[in-house]
Amino acid sequence: MEPGQGRLSHEHVPRRGLACRITLKTSVQPEVFHAVMLLRSPHLASEDPLPFELKGSLFTLTVLHLFKPDRTAIERYLAEKIKQAPSFFNNTPVVIDLEGMAEPRDGVDFKGLYDLLRGHGMIPVGIRNGSPKQQASARLAGLPVLPESRAASAAKKPERAEPTPARSRLVNHPVRSGQQIYAPDGDLIVLGAVSAGAEVIADGNVHIYGVLRGRALAGVKGDLETRIFCQSLEAELISIAGHYRISEQLEPTDRGKAVQVRLVEDRLIIEQLTR
Amino acid sequence: MATVIVVTSGKGGVGKTTTSASFATGLAQRGYRTVVIDFDVGLRNLDLIMGCERRVVYDFVNVINSEANLNQALIRDKRVDNLYILPASQTRDKEALTKEGVEKILNELKQSFDYVVCDSPAGIERGALMALYFADEALVVTNPEVSSVRDSDRILGILASRSRRAEQGDPPVKEHLVLARYAPDRAHRGDMLTVEDVLEILGIPLLGVIPESPAVLQSSNAGVPVILEDGSDAGAAYGDLVERFLGKDLPHRFTMSQKKGFLKRLFGGS
Ligand SMILES: Nc1ncnc2c1ncn2[C@@H]1O[C@H](COP(=O)(O)OP(=O)(O)OP(=O)(O)O)[C@@H](O)[C@H]1O
Ligand SMILES: [Mg+2]
């Protein structure tokens, strides 16, 4: 979960002497109810009314991040929390998250924890994370294990830029000598020839449904995955993410052929497209 | 309402003025009221090719600057009815051509003519841009050589992006290719591009192929548009070009090598 997003309470600073810390956060659990089962069968539907139907749905749940399974400490801190926001603990379903346990191998008395929370108005519906052993004992206590949250699994992975939705630019006329056409953020599609002395440029891929006689540059912001496609290769220059070849570096056998150009380990590869 | 046609090329010396003179003459011969305007301010020579250089009193720029009215500046052709010439100024520079001024005169001419033919200067500077800006159709003149074709390609791009039709989102300027100074022998020997090569690169409809011909220089020295030279190949090619422009479907002559091959000479045939 992003910080500050959908968060009801309270990253709290533990006071000295406190044996446990609990934070309560709401969390969207998209996976939880995603076991979509469509049981409705057409002929049944037309006859008897169905007794039930199963559908996937999303819920916002409160997550109790357990740091230390110290019963007295939990109880003390819980009482304090309830004093701050009594209504919040009124039959609130909670998920117990074990990810932040100080001693991950500690055994947890799930039955005791369940009763404790119930006694304070919360309804535990399951646990998340934890060791296989902890998960097994949770199941025994009647608490299902919910899939790891997306935020948790994403946070472990190295930072990856969110791909922005690509917007492509369509040019439905020939690109003539002296013209330059640029598609920022996406693909460029040219329905016609690109003349010698013309230049077609894209942050994404370049598709040319005609003869490429001019210059085509894909991935000009550095995207190594981009490609150039053309119906007939007679280019003055082709470039992907700054790696280029000029006309005289093209194989004579590729000339006039329908090709795709891509980058493999810093080398431009030209492949003829088979039809 | 008149149709405005620009004769343009990008590259210089490819035959724009020769084409403008014969094209305008051919339209007038077929009964259309036609005026041909020399946009080559400072380098006028349309009047020479039309043989009216000694009758120039006022010019295009005089009319733009309201120093003369159109009737004073238009020169009526002595040989062909319905044909008028609006000469360029020899002395002014190209800055005299303003968009507003050109538009005003074109609008006035469009009232009384069927066709307004604009002979563009070479290049892609102001004069050329003014000549093509108001065009409805364009004759793009190209010689069968790479640099000329490249420049024509450039001009086609400008027609498609910087003409008034392009700027206002109207239907695009109608493009016609005129391949001038074509020498079939040399093309087939590989010294020059062939008709097919040029069409492949430019991808616009071919209106006419004008053969390389000594008749062009002779007639322009005599101040007669070559289309009026009966029996000349270039004149006949311009005649066909005008017919095609007016909608006739004629085969392209002058694209094949004139020299007969050995077998053809033996067994005849054309
Ligand atoms: N079909 C032809 N055969 C032989 N010579 C030609 C032909 N067409 C044009 N020429 C010659 O080429 C030269 C240039 O022709 P013209 O003046 O018509 O070109 P232009 O494109 O108007 O040139 P500019 O760009 O200077 O205005 C002239 O000397 C002319 O006689
Ligand atoms: Mg000229």
Side-chain angles (χ1 to χ4, degrees):
Chain A
M1 166 146 302
E2 305 298 325
Q5 182 192 333
R7 188 170 141 184
L8 288 183
S9 55
H10 358 309
E11 216 54 85
H12 104 281
V13 186
R15 274 181 287 156
R16 203 188 300 266
L18 200 65
C20 95
R21 299 183 311 177
I22 307 168
T23 58
L24 294 171
K25 293 179 192 173
T26 51
S27 169
V28 177
Q29 282 279 310
E31 300 91 347
V32 176
F33 300 98
H34 254 193
V36 180
M37 282 165 276
L38 225 57
L39 297 182
R40 193 199 284 258
S41 85
H43 83 105
L44 256 182
S46 59
E47 289 157 14
D48 296 307
L50 291 166
F52 70 88
E53 192 182 9
L54 288 175
K55 274 186 173 175
S57 192
L58 302 178
F59 292 89
T60 300
L61 290 175
T62 299
V63 177
L64 186 152
H65 293 270
L66 185 66
F67 301 136
K68 211 168 182 223
D70 179 336
R71 199 191 151 92
T72 36
I74 292 171
E75 195 162 17
R76 183 156 20 100
Y77 187 48
L78 211 51
E80 198 177 302
K81 281 268 153 199
I82 290 167
K83 223 161 70 192
Q84 286 169 9
S87 59
F88 185 69
F89 297 95
N90 209 350
N91 292 323
T92 307
V94 294
V95 174
I96 301 158
D97 193 332
L98 306 178
E99 165 110 293
M101 291 270 285
E103 295 293 336
R105 310 203 154 267
D106 274 358
V108 180
D109 173 14
F110 283 107
K111 183 80 183 72
L113 187 58
Y114 182 88
D115 292 336
L116 177 68
L117 293 174
R118 276 311 295 250
H120 288 83
M122 284 182 266
I123 308 169
V125 295
I127 69 150
R128 191 169 69 177
N129 297 315
S131 68
K133 219 172 155 190
Q134 290 166 337
Q135 294 187 349
S137 70
R139 278 195 203 91
L140 279 176
L143 289 170
V145 179
L146 307 181
E148 217 185 345
S149 78
R150 249 185 224 160
S153 46
K156 283 180 208 153
K157 287 182 195 133
E159 272 294 318
R160 196 160 57 98
E162 271 296 310
T164 44
R167 290 190 46 235
S168 49
R169 178 168 177 192
L170 181 73
V171 176
N172 58 7
H173 56 77
V175 184
R176 302 284 186 182
S177 178
Q179 291 183 322
Q180 188 190 60
I181 293 187
Y182 174 45
D185 302 331
D187 288 7
L188 178 61
I189 303 163
V190 181
L191 300 176
V194 176
S195 292
E199 202 168 52
V200 290
I201 305 167
D203 288 352
N205 305 294
V206 176
H207 312 254
I208 300 159
Y209 293 92
V211 186
L212 169 59
R213 297 195 177 90
R215 301 151 64 94
L217 297 88
V220 291
K221 293 241 179 86
D223 186 345
L224 305 169
E225 302 293 317
T226 54
R227 299 184 182 193
I228 297 168
F229 305 87
C230 67
Q231 290 298 309
S232 176
L233 179 70
E234 297 168 28
E236 293 171 328
L237 177 145
I238 47 174
S239 163
I240 291 176
H243 299 266
Y244 68 89
R245 271 206 231 174
I246 57 174
S247 175
E248 56 190 40
Q249 297 168 319
L250 301 178
E251 294 294 331
T253 47
D254 290 329
R255 284 198 169 271
K257 300 287 168 29
V259 300
Q260 68 162 321
V261 184
R262 61 196 176 97
L263 205 55
V264 177
E265 287 161 5
D266 289 1
R267 266 174 45 79
L268 280 188
I269 303 289
I270 299 174
E271 293 166 331
Q272 293 184 17
L273 298 169
T274 47
R275 293 167 226 222
Chain B
M1 200 63 158
T3 303
V4 178
I5 302 146
V6 62
V7 180
T8 183
S9 69
K11 193 172 162 70
V14 296
K16 292 180 293 296
T17 301
T18 305
T19 299
S20 300
S22 282
F23 180 61
T25 303
L27 290 171
Q29 277 182 310
R30 285 158 184 79
Y32 297 96
R33 288 180 57 80
T34 306
V35 57
V36 53
I37 308 176
D38 191 347
F39 272 78
D40 207 343
V41 174
L43 286 170
R44 73 171 208 225
N45 50 33
L46 179 69
D47 49 336
L48 285 170
I49 292 184
M50 299 291 291
C52 62
E53 75 279 8
R54 275 169 298 173
R55 294 159 62 207
V56 174
V57 182
Y58 295 108
D59 58 50
F60 194 19
V61 173
N62 290 139
V63 185
I64 288 177
N65 293 343
S66 303
E67 294 152 5
N69 63 37
L70 260 178
N71 287 334
Q72 292 171 298
L74 284 174
I75 300 172
R76 197 172 158 266
D77 191 86
K78 283 191 168 161
R79 294 159 297 222
V80 181
D81 285 345
N82 304 314
L83 182 59
Y84 292 79
I85 298 108
L86 184 53
S89 169
Q90 190 74 285
T91 50
R92 312 296 184 98
D93 63 16
K94 290 181 167 51
E95 302 311 307
L97 294 179
T98 62
K99 208 178 254 184
E100 298 70 29
V102 172
E103 182 172 27
K104 191 186 84 182
I105 292 172
L106 288 181
N107 284 341
E108 216 174 316
L109 290 171
K110 280 160 91 172
Q111 303 301 320
S112 41
F113 286 94
D114 298 315
Y115 290 108
V116 179
V117 177
C118 303
D119 179 20
S120 173
I124 51 171
E125 306 300 319
R126 185 182 194 88
L129 295 181
M130 282 302 118
L132 68 77
Y133 186 74
F134 296 99
D136 301 306
E137 305 198 24
L139 305 195
V140 176
V141 184
T142 302
N143 291 163
E145 47 171 87
V146 173
S147 63
S148 172
V149 172
R150 174 79 61 94
D151 289 359
S152 293
D153 192 73
R154 182 92 205 255
I155 278 289
L156 285 164
I158 292 172
L159 281 165
S161 60
R162 292 169 67 185
S163 61
R164 182 169 64 174
R165 281 176 171 270
E167 283 184 5
Q168 299 191 345
D170 291 339
V173 177
K174 193 171 174 194
E175 302 154 339
H176 308 273
L177 180 63
V178 178
L179 185 54
R181 309 197 69 161
Y182 192 65
D185 296 335
R186 297 188 59 195
H188 291 290
R189 273 205 310 268
D191 296 348
M192 286 179 162
L193 300 176
T194 63
V195 179
E196 293 73 29
D197 292 336
V198 178
L199 284 175
E200 236 271 295
I201 296 171
L202 293 180
I204 62 170
L206 180 64
L207 187 63
V209 178
I210 313 300
E212 170 78 24
S213 164
V216 172
L217 189 57
Q218 285 158 18
S219 67
S220 72
N221 283 339
V224 179
V226 72
I227 196 173
L228 295 176
E229 296 286 357
D230 289 333
S232 77
D233 48 0
Y238 276 117
D240 286 3
L241 179 151
V242 172
E243 294 288 351
R244 270 186 223 105
F245 182 83
L246 294 171
K248 241 197 203 154
D249 189 13
L250 295 177
H252 289 281
R253 300 191 263 173
F254 316 109
T255 60
M256 302 308 278
S257 184
Q258 294 299 304
K259 294 193 186 77
K260 289 179 180 172
F262 176 70
L263 286 176
K264 271 200 174 163
R265 264 184 286 153
L266 258 184
F267 298 111
S270 56

